[in-house]
C-alpha cells in the first residue's frame, strides 16, 4: 500500500519528482567520485599484511632535505648487524629488460629485489611458492599480465625466458593481479644479485651515492629510537666523509603515502571537504523541497489522520516516497559515476596518480557506505517535514488553517543561503584558478617550445651497433638540411629533467651549493634557443678536452655569489675531477612553473649520437615539419626496434606538465557547476511551489492591475536578497582560500577586485534565470483560472 501511494504521489508531482531525481543523481554521482579517490587513498596497500611492523629507510640532511633513498651497501650492513630486522629488501629499478619466450616479447616495470622480498611485502601468487620464489640468482617472478603476453594459456612455471637477448631466467612464480593503489608495484621481479654482477651498477653502489630504496620488516616490540641509534653508528663507520652528517630514519610504512608530495594531500583534503559540502547541499535541498510541499499535502495528511492513520504511518509514507526517489537516484548516480565521472577522473590525473578502478568484489564497503548514506538521506528528508506536518491539529489541517506552518521559512532561508554560499565559494575559486593556470601557461619559460620536434630514441633496437651507424648517417643528413636550424641528442629535455642532484664545491673558496645536473651536447642550447648571458656554448671542435667544461644557469651563479662565473673551478662532492665553467645560460623553466628555478649545471656528453641518449630534438621551420617527420619515420623503420617510432611537439610536452593542475581545475569547475545546479534546482522547485501557494494572490494582484514585472519582483526579491547575503559571506572565504593556495606557486597572480565582482554577477545571473523563469510563468497565468483554483 505504501509503495502504491508513493508511486501515485511521485507521478502526480512530476516537477517535484524530476527536480529531486536530477539533483540527487548528479549530486550522488559527484559525491561518489570525490569519495572514491579518498577511499582509494585510505585503502592503499591493503594487500600487505602486518603493516605495523613494516618500515622504510629515509635520509635526512642538516640542510632540511629529506628523501627515501640511502646508499646501496647500507641495507646489507643493517641486516648483518641488526638482529631486530626480520626481513629486508631493496626495490631497485635499474633497467627494464625485454623478456622473450619463443617469438613473443614483453617489457614492463621491473624491480630487482632480495630473496626475502615476499617476507616484507605479502604479495599473493597465483603460481609458485613465495618462500623460495626468489631464492635463485636466475629466478624471475612475473605478473599475470606478462604471463598471458608470453605464454598465453600455457603454464609458465619452470619455463626459461631470455632477458635482453642474453640472460637466461627461470619463471618461479606468477603474481596475482595487483591493485592500482599499491605503492609498490612491478610486473617483473628479478634477483638483486644480477645487479651486483653489473659493473656500471656496482661502480656507483658505494657509500657516497644515495639511490637505493630500502624496506624492512622489524620484529614486534622493536624500539625505533634504539634501532635508529644503530643506523647512526653504521653511517658514522661507513659513509663517505662528505655524507657522515646524514641521518637515517626508520619510518612506518603507513606514512609512505605522504611521499607522493603535498599536492596529493591537498587533493584528498579537498575531495573530503567537497564531498561533505555536496552531500549537505543535496540533503538540505531535499528537506527544503519536502517542507515546501507541506502546504499542498496538508489536507491529504489531515484526511488520513481522521481515518485513523497514526503519526508513524504518515512518517513512513513520506519515508517510502523519499526512499524510492533516493533509490532511483542512487542507481542513476552510480551509473553516471562508473561510466562518465570515473573515466574523466583518470583522464584528469594522467600519470600523476594511480588509475582508479572500481572492483565490486573488493570495494563492496564503498558501495555499502552509499546504501547507508541513502538510508540516512531518506530518514532525514522524509521524517522531518512529516513530523512537523503531523504536529498540527487535524481540524486546522483539514480546514487549511495551518497557523505557523510557514514559520520555518527562517530555517529554509538559512539553508538556501548556505547552499549559495558554498556555490559562490566554488565559483570564486574557479575564476581565480582559471586565471592562475592560464597565467602559468603564458609566462615566459625561457626557451623555445615552438617548432621543436622531440623524437624518442630509446626504442630498444634489435641491432644497436647497426642502428648507431644508420643514426649517424641520419644526423649527417640533418646537418646538410637547410630547413633544420639545429638538433640535439640528449638523455633529458626540458619538462623531463631527472631528479639528479649533487653538491658542488668552489675550489677557491670551498663554498658548497647543491645543483641539479644533467648531460647535454653542443646543440642543446641552440635547439631550444636558450640564451647565453656569459661565456660560450659547448664546442664539438674541442671534444677532446670539453669533458672538463660545464655550463651553469644564472641561479647557480647567484647561489655561489659570483658576479662573473667564467673560469671558475668546481669539484663535485664525492668526486676528484675539477670542472671549469665556460658559459652561463639564462634561467629557463626546465620543469613546470609551479616551482622556482633551481641552480642547474650541464656537463658535456660529446658529439651527437644514438648510444646513451633518449631524445633527438630538432628545431626546424614549421612548414617543413611534416615532411621531416615522414622522413624520420622511414629512417627509423630501417632500424628494427621493439618499440614503435614516437615523437612529440615540445609545445605539447610543456602543456602536459599541467595535466594534474588542469584536472584539479576541471574538477573544481564541475563542483562549482554542480553546487549551482543543485541549489538552482532546489530554488526552481521552491519558487514553483511558492507560486502555487500564492496562486490566488497572484490572480488578485493581476486583476487589480499588477504587471508581470511586479509579480516577478514579488516572487523573486527574497531569493535575490539571500544570494546577496551569500555573496557577502562567500567572497572573503574564496579570497582567503585562494590567497593562501597561491603562495605555493613561484609564479602567481594577484587576486583582483573584478574577479570577486565577476563571481557575484555570475551567481546573481543564475538565480535571476532560475527564479525568473518560474516567476514569469506564474505571472502569465490567466487570473480567472487562478481565482477559481482550489
Amino acid at each position: 500500500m505504501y509503495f502504491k501511494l508513493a508511486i501515485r504521489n511521485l507521478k502526480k508531482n512530476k516537477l517535484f519528482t524530476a527536480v529531486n531525481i536530477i539533483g540527487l543523481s548528479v549530486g550522488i554521482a559527484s559525491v561518489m567520485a570525490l569519495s572514491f579517490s579518498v577511499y582509494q587513498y585510505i585503502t592503499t596497500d591493503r594487500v600487505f599484511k602486518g603493516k605495523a611492523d613494516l618500515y622504510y629507510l629515509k635520509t635526512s640532511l642538516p640542510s632540511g632535505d629529506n628523501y627515501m633513498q640511502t646508499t646501496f651497501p647500507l641495507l646489507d650492513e643493517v641486516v648483518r648487524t641488526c638482529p631486530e630486522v626480520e626481513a629486508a629488501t631493496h626495490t631497485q629499478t635499474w633497467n627494464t629488460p625485454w623478456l622473450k619466450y619463443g617469438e613473443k616479447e614483453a617489457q614492463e616495470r621491473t624491480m630487482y629485489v632480495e630473496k626475502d622480498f615476499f617476507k616484507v611485502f605479502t604479495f599473493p601468487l597465483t603460481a609458485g611458492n613465495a618462500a623460495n620464489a626468489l631464492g635463485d640468482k636466475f629466478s624471475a617472478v612475473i605478473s599475470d599480465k606478462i604471463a598471458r603476453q608470453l605464454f598465453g594459456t600455457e603454464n609458465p612455471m619452470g619455463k626459461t625466458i631470455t632477458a635482453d637477448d642474453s640472460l637466461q631466467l627461470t619463471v618461479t612464480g606468477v603474481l596475482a593481479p595487483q591493485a592500482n593503489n599499491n605503492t609498490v608495484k612491478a610486473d617483473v621481479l628479478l634477483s638483486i644479485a644480477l645487479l651486483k654482477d653489473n659493473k656500471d651498477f656496482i661502480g656507483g653502489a658505494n657509500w657516497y651515492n644515495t639511490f637505493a630504496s630500502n624496506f624492512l620488516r622489524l620484529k614486534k616490540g622493536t624500539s625505533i629510537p634504539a634501532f635508529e641509534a644503530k643506523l647512526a653508528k653504521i653511517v658514522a663507520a661507513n659513509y663517505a666523509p662528505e655524507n657522515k652528517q646524514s641521518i637515517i630514519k626508520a619510518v612506518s610504512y603507513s606514512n609512505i603515502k605522504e611521499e607522493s608530495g603535498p599536492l596529493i594531500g591537498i587533493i584528498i583534503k579537498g575531495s573530503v571537504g567537497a564531498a561533505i559540502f555536496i552531500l549537505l547541499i543535496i540533503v538540505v535541498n531535499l528537506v527544503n523541497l519536502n517542507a515546501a510541499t507541506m502546504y499542498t499535502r496538508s489536507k491529504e495528511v489531515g484526511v488520513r489522520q481522521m481515518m485513523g492513520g497514526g503519526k508513524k504511518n504518515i512518517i513512513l509514507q513520506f519515508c517510502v516516497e523519499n526512499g524510492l526517489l533516493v533509490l532511483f537516484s542512487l542507481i542513476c548516480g552510480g551509473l553516471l559515476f562508473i561510466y562518465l565521472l570515473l573515466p574523466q577522473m583518470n583522464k584528469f590525473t594522467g600519470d600523476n596518480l594511480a588509475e582508479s578502478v572500481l572492483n565490486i568484489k573488493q570495494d563492496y564497503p564503498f558501495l555499502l557506505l552509499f546504501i547507508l548514506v541513502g538510508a540516512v538521506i531518506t530518514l532525514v528528508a522524509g521524517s522531518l517535514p512529516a513530523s512537523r506536518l503531523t504536529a498540527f491539529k487535524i481540524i486546522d489541517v483539514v480546514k487549511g488553517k495551518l497557523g505557523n506552518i510557514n514559520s520555518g521559512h527562517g530555517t529554509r532561508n538559512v539553508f538556501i543561503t548556505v547552499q549559495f554560499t558554498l556555490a559562490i565559494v566554488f565559483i570564486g575559486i574557479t575564476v581565480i584558478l582559471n586565471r592562475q593556470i592560464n597565467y602559468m601557461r603564458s609566462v615566459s619559460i625561457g626557451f623555445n617550445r615552438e617548432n621543436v620536434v622531440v623524437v624518442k630514441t630509446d626504442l630498444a633496437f634489435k641491432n644497436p651497433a647497426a642502428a648507431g651507424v644508420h643514426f649517424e648517417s641520419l644526423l649527417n643528413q640533418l646537418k646538410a638540411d637547410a630547413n633544420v636550424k639545429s638538433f640535439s641528442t640528449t638523455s633529458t629535455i626540458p619538462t623531463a629533467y631527472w631528479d639528479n642532484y649533487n653538491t658542488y664545491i668552489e675550489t677557491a673558496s670551498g663554498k658548497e651549493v647543491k645543483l641539479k645536473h644533467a648531460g647535454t651536447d653542443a646543440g642543446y642550447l641552440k635547439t631550444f634557443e636558450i640564451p647565453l648571458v656569459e661565456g660560450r656554448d659547448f664546442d664539438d671542435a674541442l671534444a677532446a678536452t670539453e669533458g672538463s667544461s660545464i655550463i651553469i644557469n644564472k641561479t647557480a651563479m647567484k647561489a655561489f655569489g659570483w658576479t662573473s662565473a667564467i673560469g671558475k673551478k668546481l669539484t663535485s662532492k664525492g668526486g676528484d675531477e675539477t670542472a671549469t665553467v665556460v658559459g652561463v645560460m639564462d634561467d629557463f623553466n626546465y620543469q613546470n612553473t609551479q616551482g622556482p628555478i633551481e641552480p642547474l649545471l650541464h656537463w658535456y656528453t660529446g658529439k651527437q649520437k644514438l648510444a646513451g641518449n633518449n631524445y633527438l630534438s630538432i628545431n626546424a621551420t614549421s612548414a617543413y615539419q611534416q615532411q621531416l617527420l615522414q622522413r624520420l619515420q622511414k629512417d627509423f623503420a630501417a632500424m628494427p626496434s621493439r618499440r614503435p617510432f614516437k615523437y612529440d611537439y615540445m609545445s605539447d610536452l610543456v602543456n602536459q606538465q599541467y595535466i594534474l593542475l588542469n584536472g584539479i581545475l576541471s574538477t573544481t569547475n564541475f563542483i562549482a557547476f554542480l553546487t549551482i545546479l543543485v541549489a538552482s534546482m532546489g530554488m526552481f522547485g521552491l519558487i514553483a511551489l511558492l507560486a502555487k501557494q500564492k496562486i490566488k494572490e497572484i490572480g488578485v494582484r493581476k486583476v487589480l492591475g499588477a504587471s508581470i514585472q511586479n509579480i516577478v519582483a514579488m516572487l523573486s526579491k527574497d531569493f535575490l536578497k539571500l544570494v546577496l547575503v551569500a555573496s557577502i559571506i562567500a567572497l572573503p572565504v574564496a579570497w582567503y582560500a585562494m590567497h593562501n593556495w597561491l603562495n605555493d606557486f613561484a609564479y602567481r597572480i594577484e587576486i583582483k577586485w573584478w574577479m570577486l565582482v565577476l563571481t557575484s554577477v555570475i551567481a546573481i545571473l543564475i538565480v535571476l534565470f532560475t527564479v525568473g523563469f518560474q516567476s514569469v510563468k506564474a505571472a502569465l497565468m490567466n487570473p480567472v483560472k487562478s481565482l477559481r483554483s482550489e
Side-chain angles (χ1 to χ4, degrees), residues 24 28 279-280 282-284 286-287 290 315 318-320 322-327 330 367-385:
L24 279 171
I28 288 171
L279 195 58
L280 285 173
I282 60 180
V283 171
V284 168
L286 191 56
V287 171
N290 277 336
I315 291 174
F318 272 77
C319 286
V320 169
N322 282 277
L324 289 175
L325 276 175
V326 171
L327 177 61
L330 277 172
L367 301 176
L368 290 176
L369 173 65
F370 273 88
I371 293 173
L372 177 62
V373 167
V376 171
I377 293 174
T378 298
L379 288 173
V380 172
S383 61
L384 289 181

Side-chain angles (χ1 to χ4, degrees), residues 723-765:
V723 174
L724 288 173
V725 171
S727 295
I728 293 170
I729 298 170
L731 294 181
V733 174
W735 179 89
Y736 180 78
M738 293 308 290
H739 177 76
N740 288 338
W741 189 70
L742 289 173
N743 286 333
D744 294 332
F745 292 87
Y747 299 87
R748 53 158 294 175
I749 61 169
E750 292 298 324
I751 301 175
K752 304 293 185 182
W753 63 268
W754 64 263
M755 299 178 189
L756 302 178
V757 172
L758 177 62
T759 299
S760 290
V761 170
I762 291 171
I764 290 170
L765 288 175

Side-chain angles (χ1 to χ4, degrees), residues 513-515 533 552-562 584-588 590 596-600 747:
V513 174
K514 181 182 177 183
L515 302 175
V533 297
I552 62 174
N553 66 354
K554 280 199 325 187
T555 298
M557 183 171 72
K558 292 175 184 175
F560 278 107
W562 301 331
V584 178
M585 54 190 163
D586 204 355
D587 286 337
F588 67 99
Y590 47 84
I597 296 174
E598 298 175 305
L600 175 67
Y747 299 87

Side-chain angles (χ1 to χ4, degrees), residues 68-334:
M68 277 186 63
Q69 287 73 38
T70 71
T71 61
F72 182 79
L74 175 66
L75 188 65
D76 288 342
E77 189 66 16
V78 169
V79 172
R80 189 180 68 82
T81 60
C82 301
E84 54 265 69
V85 176
E86 196 172 271
T89 184
H90 290 102
T91 57
Q92 194 66 51
T93 52
W94 177 253
N95 60 11
T96 308
W98 280 89
L99 304 180
K100 187 174 183 179
Y101 179 74
E103 296 301 316
K104 296 180 179 178
E105 292 182 311
Q107 184 191 49
E108 298 292 344
R109 294 169 300 185
T110 301
M111 284 198 308
Y112 293 86
V113 299
E114 257 75 25
K115 60 183 177 61
D116 284 347
F117 176 82
F118 289 113
K119 292 181 181 178
V120 179
F121 296 110
T122 54
F123 280 102
L125 300 178
T126 59
N129 185 348
N132 56 24
L134 292 165
D136 185 78
K137 178 179 178 179
F138 299 101
S139 300
V141 176
I142 60 176
S143 67
D144 63 320
K145 175 183 174 182
I146 292 284
R148 290 193 304 271
Q149 288 177 350
L150 293 180
F151 301 100
T153 57
E154 188 178 349
N155 183 5
M157 291 298 294
K159 297 290 194 301
T160 299
I161 55 178
T162 305
D164 284 341
D165 300 321
S166 58
L167 185 64
Q168 303 297 305
L169 302 169
T170 301
V171 177
T172 54
V174 178
L175 292 165
Q178 302 168 58
N180 285 355
N181 60 343
N182 284 351
T183 51
V184 174
K185 289 181 287 189
D187 287 293
V188 182
L189 298 174
L190 301 179
S191 172
I192 202 84
L194 295 172
L195 282 186
K196 293 179 179 179
D197 290 342
N198 186 307
K199 292 181 180 179
D200 292 334
F201 175 82
I202 212 66
N206 51 39
W207 287 98
Y208 173 76
N209 294 313
T210 55
F211 61 83
S213 298
N214 316 280
F215 300 91
L216 313 94
R217 187 170 291 280
L218 301 180
K219 293 179 180 177
K220 293 188 182 299
T222 295
S223 169
I224 299 304
F227 178 61
E228 290 180 341
K230 292 183 179 181
L231 296 177
K233 289 180 181 179
I234 295 174
V235 170
N238 297 283
Y239 264 47
E242 301 91 342
N243 282 350
K244 286 189 182 294
Q245 75 277 22
S246 300
I247 299 171
I248 308 301
K249 297 181 179 179
V251 184
S252 173
Y253 193 78
S254 59
N255 293 346
I256 199 166
K257 292 179 286 190
E258 299 173 6
E259 304 294 342
S260 302
L263 189 57
I264 304 302
I266 291 170
I267 291 172
I268 296 302
K269 290 176 183 177
S271 297
V272 171
I276 292 172
F277 284 158
I278 293 172
L279 195 58
L280 285 173
I281 286 172
I282 60 180
V283 171
V284 168
N285 204 51
L286 191 56
V287 171
N288 261 350
L289 286 172
N290 277 336
T293 60
M294 286 195 297
Y295 180 85
T296 59
R297 301 284 299 273
S298 61
K299 291 190 177 180
E300 171 200 336
V301 171
V303 170
R304 292 189 62 184
Q305 286 180 304
M306 290 179 65
M307 295 176 66
K311 183 176 180 179
K312 290 182 180 179
N313 299 103
I314 294 168
I315 291 174
L316 181 58
Q317 180 63 50
F318 272 77
C319 286
V320 169
E321 289 179 22
N322 282 277
L324 289 175
L325 276 175
V326 171
L327 177 61
F328 190 72
S329 299
L330 277 172
I331 295 170
C332 293

